[in-house]
Amino acid sequence: TGVSGTADSQIPLSKTPTGTGELTSFEVPTNWADNFGERIRGYLYPTVTGTYTFWIASDDNSELYLSTNENPANKILLASVSVWTNSRQWNKYPTQQSNPINLTAGQKYYIEALHKEGISGDNLAVAWSGPGISQQVIAGSYLSPYITTNKTNQSRIIPYSLPITDKDNQMLVYPNPVNDFLFVQGINTDYKIELYNALGKQVLSQT
């Protein structure tokens, strides 16, 4: 906060943010404040291999990046807003829509949005479409957060399931909340998985 202007380049990414937060989808609250910049980043996990298209909408400026893999250094600009749009207004400018992109099921892709707000109303949302997915805001079930040891350079993150670690192995279960698919990584021996809902009721037990 306290950053005037509307250009994404004015976001002080190297400085400690004045706050962080958690999102349940790739969309921030609307009309939140004035004169701020934010970075929303994490990892995207497609569940079906195929061709996907992305959109971004925002007030004021924004940029959407996607890496060819989990490495942020390989990110490329997919779409952008150079002035402003209404909330979820996906078609005001041609630059809001990406070219078609081929993604692989289960692959981990670094994804990032930069958003700069001047004054008056504000919003930011990222949508996609692909195999079995009509145009919609990307749900948290397809996302996990970007983890960095540099605590001064973090941003809004999306909730995820923490890795479970023993002395020999590391297991990662995602996404959280679970939608139609559950991915488990890092298992090279027998495990028992138990899932509980928000009320503490067991909904799955599987070895």
Side-chain angles (χ1 to χ4, degrees):
T1 58
V3 182
S4 60
T6 60
D8 295 317
S9 60
Q10 294 173 297
I11 302 173
L13 297 176
S14 62
K15 294 185 178 180
T16 302
T18 56
T20 61
E22 295 184 350
L23 303 173
T24 57
S25 67
F26 215 134
E27 184 172 29
V28 305
T30 60
N31 301 324
W32 180 70
D34 289 333
N35 296 314
F36 71 90
E38 60 185 344
R39 172 167 55 183
I40 299 91
R41 56 181 174 169
Y43 298 102
L44 177 70
Y45 299 86
T47 56
V48 179
T49 297
T51 302
Y52 292 78
T53 303
F54 294 80
W55 292 264
I56 190 167
S58 66
D59 182 351
D60 289 296
N61 295 8
S62 63
E63 297 175 343
L64 175 64
Y65 295 87
L66 184 71
S67 176
T68 54
N69 53 29
E70 63 187 75
N71 189 346
N74 296 325
K75 69 182 181 182
I76 58 173
L77 180 66
L78 294 188
S80 63
V81 173
S82 59
V83 187
W84 64 272
T85 73
N86 292 321
S87 178
R88 301 193 184 188
Q89 184 182 7
W90 308 118
N91 57 359
K92 187 174 182 179
Y93 307 107
T95 58
Q96 290 179 253
Q97 179 178 329
S98 76
N99 292 324
I101 299 173
N102 293 321
L103 301 179
T104 302
Q107 173 66 45
K108 184 179 181 180
Y109 297 92
Y110 174 81
I111 189 168
E112 172 184 301
L114 298 178
H115 174 219
K116 184 66 185 72
E117 160 64 6
I119 60 173
S120 192
D122 56 86
N123 66 79
L124 172 76
V126 174
W128 68 342
S129 68
I133 301 175
S134 58
Q135 185 187 52
Q136 58 188 270
V137 173
I138 302 176
S141 56
Y142 295 101
L143 298 158
S144 71
Y146 176 72
I147 303 300
T148 174
T149 57
N150 181 5
K151 295 184 182 298
T152 66
N153 198 24
Q154 294 187 354
S155 52
R156 292 193 190 213
I157 59 174
I158 299 162
Y160 71 112
S161 49
L162 292 171
I164 301 171
T165 306
D166 58 29
K167 69 176 183 177
D168 298 315
N169 305 291
Q170 184 178 79
M171 181 174 69
L172 176 64
V173 180
Y174 62 91
N176 179 21
V178 173
N179 189 5
D180 298 324
F181 299 90
L182 177 67
F183 294 93
V184 181
Q185 291 182 345
I187 292 180
N188 55 18
T189 185
D190 292 334
Y191 278 87
K192 182 178 181 181
I193 298 175
E194 296 180 346
L195 297 182
Y196 296 82
N197 63 19
L199 299 178
K201 180 180 178 181
Q202 187 180 89
V203 294
L204 174 70
S205 178
Q206 183 173 329
T207 301

